[in-house]
Amino acid sequence: MAASWGFTLFLCVLLMVCRGLSLAGEDPDQTLSSSGQVKALNPEIDNALSSNHGTTGEGGHAVEPITTLPIVSWKWHHVTTPYLVALWILVSWLCKLVIEANHHVTSVIPESALLICFGFILGGMIWAADKVQTFRLTPTVFFFYLLPQVILDAGYHMPNKLFFTNLGGILVHAVIGTCWNAASLGLSLWGCQMGGAMGDLDIGLLQYLLFGSLMAAVDPVAVIAVFEQVHVNDVLFIMVFGESLLNDGVTVVLFNVFDAFVSLGGPKIDAAEIIKGIVSFFVVAFGGSLVGLVFGLLISLLTRCTKNIQIIEPGFIFVLGYLSYLTAEMLSLSAILSIVFCGMCCQKYINANMDENSVQTVRYAMKAFANGSETIIFVFLGISAIDKVIWVWNTGFILLTLLFVLVYRFIGVFFLTWILNRYRLVPLEFVDQVIMSYGGLRGAVAYGLAVMLDENKIKEKNLMVCTTLIVVYFTVILQGITMKPLVMWLKVKRAAVTEVSLLEKLTNKMFNHTLVAIEDISGQIGHNYMRSKWKYFEENWMSWILMKPSARKKQDQVFDVFHQLNLKDAMEYVTEGERRGSLEFVRNENSIIDFKKKSESESFDINNANMSNDHGAMSTTSRDPIPSVSLEMHEQIMKAVREAEAINAHHLLDQHLYKSRKQHRHRFSRSHFDINRDEKEVQEIFQRTMRNRLKSFTSAKMGVKPPKTIVKHTQKEQQQKMPNGKSMDKAKTSYSGDEGLISFVHPAGIENPAFMPDLDPMDLLQIPPWLGESELDSSMVALSHRAQVDLPRTPSNLRRLAPLRISTRSTDSFTLENIPDTQQMDSDQLQPPPPPPRPPRDDGYV
Amino acid sequence: MGSIVSRLLSRLLREEEIEDIEEIKKETGFSHRKITRLYRRFTSLDKGGNGTLSRDDFHRIPELAINPLGDIITNGFFPEGEDQVNFRGFVRTLAHFRPIDQDNEKNKNPSATEPLNSRTNKLLFAFRLYDLDRDGKISRDELLQVLRMIVGVNLICSTKTPKGGI
């Protein structure tokens, strides 16, 4: 904490220095806040400042004639603009640094709220130094330089499948919900003014509607920032997030329409104008999306040809994305929709076309830009408040706006969801609806629009700006802070009153998995016909045009998942090796300690499990001791388990039960890259499943199978455990048709057999398609007996691993992994493994 | 399926392709639209085009591979000893997952056969998932087996040590 205070002090000093400098130099206000601005900023500020400084605006380059040669000279005027810009970016990011230093605070108060508070402090300092607010969030800077990258990031990382599955609901909320919010807010406020609740205000009905329209939009930046703290499920997240993105189409239209109406004046509005307004909605929304799509296709096509300039390949995404935003803005269409659809459209193709490094670069750079922009936005939102000139206080107006914004949001969401639930297969629950309503945060977009109002037409612009600011602060800070406790309270309230027994938990978990499986078997929820038609079109036409031929071949989904898992494994393996000093693994004596720690930890809520902790703990405990040590450790561990209470068993199971898909967090995060799935879990399950299938497969064939299949299949399997002879398979013999095949070895050396369910071997004569056609670009590494036990996760594409032969002890189907290279499909190496003499219903273990 | 014309017609109507659709409706309680949609799904899964699904067809569903109970669920579709499931069997199994009809529960008519999605039948289906060897009983090992399947690698399960609390 001392460090952070030091930082703050440093910031203050820095700012003071800057203020002093800017006072000496030309007017910095012009550079930051009025360059190229569409509507004039508050003219009083400009006048005040220029009269303050007394210097003329530009032309700091006019130098007096020199009398002697200057060795060095002070050229502040030279660098004012870029210097201040860079300085402000630095300051904002330093604020974020200070905030993130302390996790206790950020878990209670969302980061966005803290950033706004920092903005207050900074604004206060500047105002104290200057007596006027020279820095503020201006619409130009916001809409052109800060917002696009945030939205591009959102579009690029959007989970398309989830989005389009729920598109109906999202659209309903975005369009109808926003219109309802705008209309109800405007009309209610106008009604209140008529009723005299707000004193004497010079605002007409149209202006109220205009105000309502700019206040109605849920802000994507704020939504993401707050939802990071709260773990909500996929569907809920995508509903709110999608709505916040798509409602820009409506907001732009409403704002422009009512702005035009205000200019036209009341009498000139007739049916024709209104119809034009409605038509303009469709034009703006669809036009914006179309522009985005076109640019998305452009990007995809481009990346198809950029093989030779892989270094700057990532840059194209950003440039073209930005261009799509500007093009839509130029055509007065919805710019946010454009850039969202650009990102959504191109993500699949550029990920396929570009080189792995470029893809990583794009992801990281986008996150960096988006995160950075968001930080700056929130800090400046705070700063902009500390400005005496704009503050007009009207209690009635402000309080009523706050009240109506909240109430109408709730009403709107509940009503629309009630309608939607009649058509949805999986209805949205009450808790979800509450979160959706409460999560309708307003943010910088509303503020930007408010500042863009023309005060010649709207006399009470300052009041509106103030109200917008207060609403933004209320939603972001207060609702952000209370969102998490509210969710916890609601969920706890709805949870079972009685303590759930272990068996119940297990069964619930099992049912979850079952339901997910049935969902997958029965196909996606929704319009499957359209989806299959689209898939057909997409596979045959779009992929053909937009993807490189080599990329197209890799489109097999299962292979893709495995490819990613392989990569993850490889990277982890190497970092583990580096961490330990060498690639040679030594016995891990710490495994028992870690295990004990895990069993004593107290986390109840699965959803709050810290993913990074899981990773770290798992990787340390995944170190396998060699068999000779395993027995002792087994004993020790057994003792530890026996000593543990039943509560500990509960905790343990809680932590270790595989999460079903419903429990995974939402897939979008501003600051983390892979937060949705515990990769290890998925990996484990996948490998185990594949191993099971392979075992039944090979057991059926008994050596008749062509080696090709074995090779291709096991290339994907990394977790090949050797049985260490201490099988606990006595019980297995009771199962008929059971190979009793070992599927994985416990890290401490105990086997953990997963039985094969009844499978008729003859069924599996067919080669599963993903086996048959996948191409292999990594070679298999054969592991020695020791290596297999030691190295549970051996990536197959690390050639540095000693390509050792499998020991002759292994006579079971596990020896399938002893194929060193796919090219040499040595059949003689494979003959020993599935030994013909071995009968299928044998001694259960190998 | 007869001539091309009737094929085209049936593609429009989607009824003749599904034999016994009325019987399926009565047995499972699905609506016409749902049965049609399920039939489309069935045919898209059925790569061999012979009107039945084999285990491999289920294995082709990628999400099942990362479901710890995927294989067990797949087995639930195949009746005892068989490895092909036709559309009727497919829909019959899926019918277990329909929401419970509230009015049926109130109707305590013991002589009428319960619909497939009654509480009892749902429980029966779940029971069969646990009962891996289909002997009508869930042994301790079977329970542990399922537990192992849905628990992560790091957890020790030993048949020797009784776990408290289960």
Side-chain angles (χ1 to χ4, degrees):
Chain A
M1 277 312 287
S4 46
W5 283 119
F7 270 130
T8 329
L9 210 55
F10 171 69
L11 283 178
C12 299
V13 170
L14 203 58
L15 280 169
M16 292 301 162
V17 170
C18 281
R19 289 309 311 138
L21 289 174
S22 58
L23 274 171
E26 62 175 24
D27 187 1
D29 178 43
Q30 284 202 344
T31 57
L32 253 189
S33 42
S34 58
S35 55
Q37 192 175 341
V38 177
K39 303 256 189 281
L41 194 52
N42 200 334
E44 281 119 4
I45 291 193
D46 280 336
N47 292 336
L49 278 167
S50 46
S51 62
N52 242 349
H53 297 287
T55 57
T56 54
E58 297 292 282
H61 306 285
V63 195
E64 308 89 28
I66 53 176
T67 49
T68 169
L69 178 71
I71 301 179
V72 289
S73 54
W74 179 257
K75 291 195 174 167
W76 171 249
H77 48 265
H78 227 51
V79 296
T80 315
T81 318
Y83 204 97
L84 279 175
V85 169
L87 204 57
W88 269 114
I89 296 179
L90 178 67
V91 164
S92 309
W93 291 355
L94 283 176
C95 292
K96 188 174 169 113
L97 182 81
V98 169
I99 290 174
E100 291 292 342
N102 197 343
H103 270 280
H104 296 295
V105 184
T106 45
S107 59
V108 174
I109 309 181
E111 190 188 284
S112 43
L114 286 169
L115 282 170
I116 293 187
C117 297
F118 265 83
F120 287 151
I121 300 175
L122 287 172
M125 289 193 298
I126 298 184
W127 193 71
D130 238 10
K131 296 299 177 254
V132 285
Q133 186 59 264
T134 44
F135 301 108
R136 45 197 303 163
L137 187 65
T138 61
T140 321
V141 169
F142 174 67
F143 279 116
F144 287 145
Y145 299 117
L146 292 177
L147 189 61
Q149 47 260 41
V150 177
I151 308 293
L152 182 61
D153 175 60
Y156 181 74
H157 288 102
M158 173 82 75
N160 272 353
K161 213 166 165 189
L162 192 63
F163 180 78
F164 284 110
T165 310
N166 292 295
L167 187 61
I170 295 176
L171 274 178
V172 164
H173 277 107
V175 176
I176 304 182
T178 313
C179 289
W180 156 255
N181 280 342
S184 61
L185 182 64
L187 288 171
S188 312
L189 281 176
W190 182 67
C192 288
Q193 181 186 317
M194 289 292 130
M198 290 187 272
D200 200 10
L201 285 177
D202 179 18
I203 310 182
L205 171 64
L206 282 172
Q207 297 184 10
Y208 271 121
L209 285 174
L210 180 60
F211 179 65
S213 72
L214 71 88
M215 195 51 91
V218 176
D219 188 67
V221 179
V223 161
I224 299 176
V226 167
F227 269 36
E228 293 239 355
Q229 322 292 124
V230 183
H231 306 147
V232 296
N233 59 45
D234 274 352
V235 174
L236 176 58
F237 175 75
I238 200 72
M239 293 286 285
V240 182
F241 186 49
E243 180 203 340
S244 69
L245 284 176
L246 291 189
N247 67 16
D248 178 68
V250 182
T251 310
V252 165
V253 172
L254 282 178
F255 187 78
N256 287 332
V257 162
F258 284 122
D259 204 31
F261 282 0
V262 167
S263 308
L264 286 177
K268 293 225 195 72
I269 301 173
D270 53 1
E273 302 292 334
I274 296 184
I275 292 182
K276 272 203 227 165
I278 298 179
V279 168
S280 78
F281 162 68
F282 286 105
V283 169
V284 165
F286 286 114
S289 318
L290 208 61
V291 170
L293 266 161
V294 164
F295 272 91
L297 293 178
L298 260 175
I299 298 181
S300 315
L301 274 174
L302 244 173
T303 51
R304 207 185 148 164
C305 325
T306 52
K307 196 164 64 122
N308 298 324
I309 47 167
Q310 278 177 359
I311 279 296
I312 62 169
E313 208 174 27
F316 283 114
I317 311 336
F318 295 98
V319 168
L320 279 171
Y322 193 46
L323 274 179
S324 81
Y325 185 87
L326 293 177
T327 311
E329 188 71 36
M330 173 178 75
L331 300 171
S332 76
L333 304 171
S334 166
I336 292 186
L337 278 184
S338 163
I339 202 171
V340 165
F341 279 101
C342 176
M344 279 170 57
C345 170
C346 71
Q347 50 166 261
K348 177 176 172 191
Y349 302 110
I350 58 182
N351 285 342
N353 279 344
M354 292 203 299
D355 179 47
E356 191 71 39
N357 293 329
S358 301
V359 173
Q360 290 290 66
T361 310
V362 170
R363 289 179 71 208
Y364 276 85
M366 236 188 248
K367 286 275 180 225
F369 285 147
N371 228 320
S373 283
E374 196 183 286
T375 314
I376 303 176
I377 292 175
F378 282 118
V379 169
F380 269 85
L381 264 181
I383 295 179
S384 307
I386 314 295
D387 189 347
K388 200 161 177 198
V389 184
I390 64 167
W391 278 99
V392 179
W393 186 268
N394 183 326
T395 319
F397 189 83
I398 294 177
L399 285 179
L400 281 171
T401 310
L402 267 177
L403 177 70
F404 287 140
V405 159
L406 257 181
V407 166
Y408 286 127
R409 171 81 184 161
F410 269 86
I411 296 178
V413 167
F414 273 86
F415 179 66
L416 287 174
T417 320
W418 176 75
I419 296 183
L420 279 175
N421 273 345
R422 291 162 42 143
Y423 298 102
R424 283 178 65 93
L425 208 62
V426 179
L428 284 172
E429 304 169 11
F430 174 72
V431 179
D432 293 344
Q433 293 177 33
V434 169
I435 300 178
M436 267 181 79
S437 329
Y438 204 64
L441 309 175
R442 276 45 175 192
V445 174
Y447 172 71
L449 287 175
V451 178
M452 263 171 43
L453 292 171
D454 185 357
E455 60 263 345
N456 297 323
K457 289 186 286 189
I458 302 168
K459 303 283 184 302
E460 300 283 353
K461 172 184 165 177
N462 280 338
L463 177 62
M464 291 187 178
V465 170
C466 295
T467 315
T468 313
L469 273 178
I470 293 189
V471 171
V472 169
Y473 294 148
F474 182 82
T475 54
V476 172
I477 300 181
L478 259 145
Q479 278 181 240
I481 296 179
T482 53
M483 172 84 88
K484 195 167 171 189
L486 178 72
V487 172
M488 298 295 297
W489 179 69
L490 279 173
K491 285 205 170 135
V492 167
K493 222 171 143 45
R494 291 165 59 80
V497 178
T498 60
E499 173 76 14
V500 181
S501 81
L502 205 59
L503 187 57
E504 278 181 43
K505 277 192 195 169
L506 171 63
T507 315
N508 278 339
K509 199 55 66 148
M510 198 204 140
F511 285 159
N512 264 343
H513 285 303
T514 310
L515 286 176
V516 169
I518 293 291
E519 264 178 34
D520 292 326
I521 290 178
S522 64
Q524 286 297 322
I525 305 165
H527 307 288
N528 206 20
Y529 183 67
M530 287 297 297
R531 186 181 306 278
S532 56
K533 279 274 170 274
W534 165 254
K535 239 176 124 57
Y536 178 79
F537 168 70
E538 204 259 329
E539 266 166 35
N540 291 345
W541 288 94
M542 295 189 62
S543 302
W544 192 76
I545 301 178
L546 297 173
M547 270 206 275
K548 288 199 274 215
S550 57
R552 240 180 293 143
K553 285 201 203 99
K554 293 203 208 129
Q555 277 304 298
D556 195 317
Q557 185 178 350
V558 169
F559 186 78
D560 197 32
V561 167
F562 238 144
H563 180 59
Q564 286 175 24
L565 294 177
N566 280 353
L567 281 177
K568 278 248 166 326
D569 245 10
M571 291 193 293
E572 232 175 71
Y573 186 79
V574 172
T575 49
E576 252 333 290
E578 284 172 14
R579 201 170 62 86
R580 297 177 137 273
S582 77
L583 277 182
E584 207 185 331
F585 284 81
V586 293
R587 281 189 303 205
N588 181 15
E589 269 106 25
N590 293 329
S591 69
I592 176 177
I593 302 170
D594 287 341
F595 184 76
K596 255 190 150 162
K597 270 199 213 133
K598 255 186 145 171
S599 69
E600 285 159 13
S601 68
E602 293 276 343
S603 79
F604 279 98
D605 190 349
I606 299 180
N607 283 340
N608 279 336
N610 192 337
M611 289 295 188
S612 52
N613 267 352
D614 274 348
H615 266 268
M618 270 200 186
S619 57
T620 45
T621 52
S622 68
R623 200 70 52 242
D624 270 357
I626 56 175
S628 61
V629 191
S630 63
L631 193 51
E632 309 163 19
M633 308 191 72
H634 170 56
E635 290 301 335
Q636 293 173 17
I637 292 174
M638 280 294 105
K639 211 156 44 117
V641 173
R642 266 184 241 116
E643 282 164 7
E645 312 255 343
I647 302 178
N648 283 345
H650 272 263
H651 290 182
L652 210 55
L653 265 182
D654 259 350
Q655 291 163 31
H656 287 282
L657 283 173
Y658 286 137
K659 301 184 192 54
S660 76
R661 195 168 59 208
K662 297 186 189 217
Q663 281 184 316
H664 284 138
R665 290 196 235 171
H666 56 265
R667 300 172 202 198
F668 185 83
S669 166
R670 171 67 74 230
S671 42
H672 299 98
F673 287 94
D674 300 305
I675 71 165
N676 63 326
R677 283 170 186 259
D678 192 344
E679 292 288 337
K680 302 229 175 209
E681 266 186 26
V682 176
Q683 193 174 16
E684 276 169 24
I685 301 174
F686 197 107
Q687 287 166 351
R688 186 210 279 155
T689 314
M690 285 305 156
R691 202 171 299 114
N692 281 344
R693 294 186 189 169
L694 181 67
K695 298 310 161 284
S696 65
F697 198 14
T698 58
S699 72
K701 292 303 219 141
M702 291 199 299
V704 178
K705 205 172 22 149
K708 196 173 196 229
T709 315
I710 305 179
V711 168
K712 291 200 174 182
H713 195 139
T714 57
Q715 180 263 342
K716 301 176 185 183
E717 295 192 29
Q718 304 149 0
Q719 206 174 352
Q720 306 298 334
K721 309 294 186 189
M722 275 305 295
N724 56 11
K726 282 194 298 301
S727 81
M728 308 178 301
D729 312 331
K730 298 162 196 73
K732 280 193 247 175
T733 50
S734 60
Y735 293 91
S736 58
D738 208 329
E739 284 305 325
L741 303 160
I742 316 297
S743 66
F744 48 79
V745 176
H746 187 271
I750 307 301
E751 288 156 25
N752 204 341
F755 298 109
M756 275 297 297
D758 260 348
L759 277 188
D760 192 336
M762 302 316 287
D763 237 1
L764 306 164
L765 285 178
Q766 284 174 303
I767 302 172
W770 66 81
L771 294 184
E773 67 192 3
S774 57
E775 48 185 26
L776 306 164
D777 45 1
S778 51
S779 70
M780 277 290 304
V781 173
L783 303 169
S784 74
H785 171 72
R786 176 193 169 124
Q788 280 166 347
V789 176
D790 270 359
L791 315 168
R793 295 165 197 263
T794 313
S796 50
N797 48 5
L798 271 190
R799 293 168 189 263
R800 282 179 284 172
L801 273 185
L804 305 166
R805 272 185 321 102
I806 200 119
S807 82
T808 47
R809 262 176 55 193
S810 50
T811 54
D812 63 341
S813 40
F814 276 100
T815 57
L816 293 162
E817 55 251 354
N818 69 351
I819 293 93
D821 214 319
T822 63
Q823 274 71 22
Q824 339 160 345
M825 287 171 294
D826 260 353
S827 43
D828 39 318
Q829 265 188 337
L830 295 171
Q831 283 322 325
R838 193 177 69 134
R841 299 164 185 218
D842 197 289
D843 49 13
Y845 66 99
V846 288
Chain B
M1 285 311 281
S3 70
I4 299 185
V5 176
S6 78
R7 242 214 156 162
L8 284 174
L9 276 179
S10 62
R11 201 166 298 278
L12 285 176
L13 298 171
R14 290 246 169 231
E15 279 187 26
E16 284 100 50
E17 283 188 23
I18 313 171
E19 296 151 10
D20 316 324
I21 192 172
E22 289 302 319
E23 284 183 33
I24 298 180
K25 252 166 79 172
K26 230 173 18 158
E27 187 186 16
T28 61
F30 280 126
S31 73
H32 203 97
R33 202 162 47 105
K34 290 202 178 116
I35 297 183
T36 319
R37 199 176 80 64
L38 285 175
Y39 187 74
R40 274 193 225 119
R41 176 68 175 166
F42 182 83
T43 41
S44 76
L45 285 175
D46 179 19
K47 295 288 188 303
N50 53 351
T52 59
L53 290 180
S54 68
R55 284 207 167 80
D56 267 341
D57 291 318
F58 281 98
H59 288 171
R60 259 183 227 108
I61 305 173
E63 287 88 357
L64 276 188
I66 52 177
N67 191 315
L69 298 181
D71 286 340
I72 286 188
I73 308 283
T74 308
N75 279 319
F77 276 87
F78 294 90
E80 182 69 43
E82 296 178 19
D83 13 275
Q84 300 286 328
V85 58
N86 61 3
F87 181 61
R88 273 197 91 154
F90 182 71
V91 181
R92 195 178 291 132
T93 312
L94 285 180
H96 283 112
F97 290 88
R98 273 188 60 231
I100 298 180
D101 302 323
Q102 293 302 325
D103 46 345
N104 256 336
E105 292 297 308
K106 302 207 181 87
N107 188 9
K108 298 283 191 209
N109 189 354
S111 63
T113 34
E114 290 181 356
L116 277 173
N117 63 333
S118 70
R119 274 210 154 86
T120 321
N121 279 327
K122 284 184 198 264
L123 283 172
L124 204 59
F125 184 77
F127 184 88
R128 285 204 203 101
L129 289 181
Y130 273 102
D131 184 14
L132 298 164
D133 60 354
R134 312 257 176 126
D135 63 352
K137 299 186 275 265
I138 298 183
S139 76
R140 199 165 149 279
D141 280 312
E142 279 166 332
L143 194 61
L144 272 176
Q145 169 54 23
V146 175
L147 171 64
R148 281 191 207 108
M149 285 186 95
I150 61 176
V151 165
V153 201
N154 287 338
L155 189 65
I156 296 178
C157 282
S158 165
T159 50
K160 301 189 185 76
T161 313
K163 290 205 81 67
I166 295 188

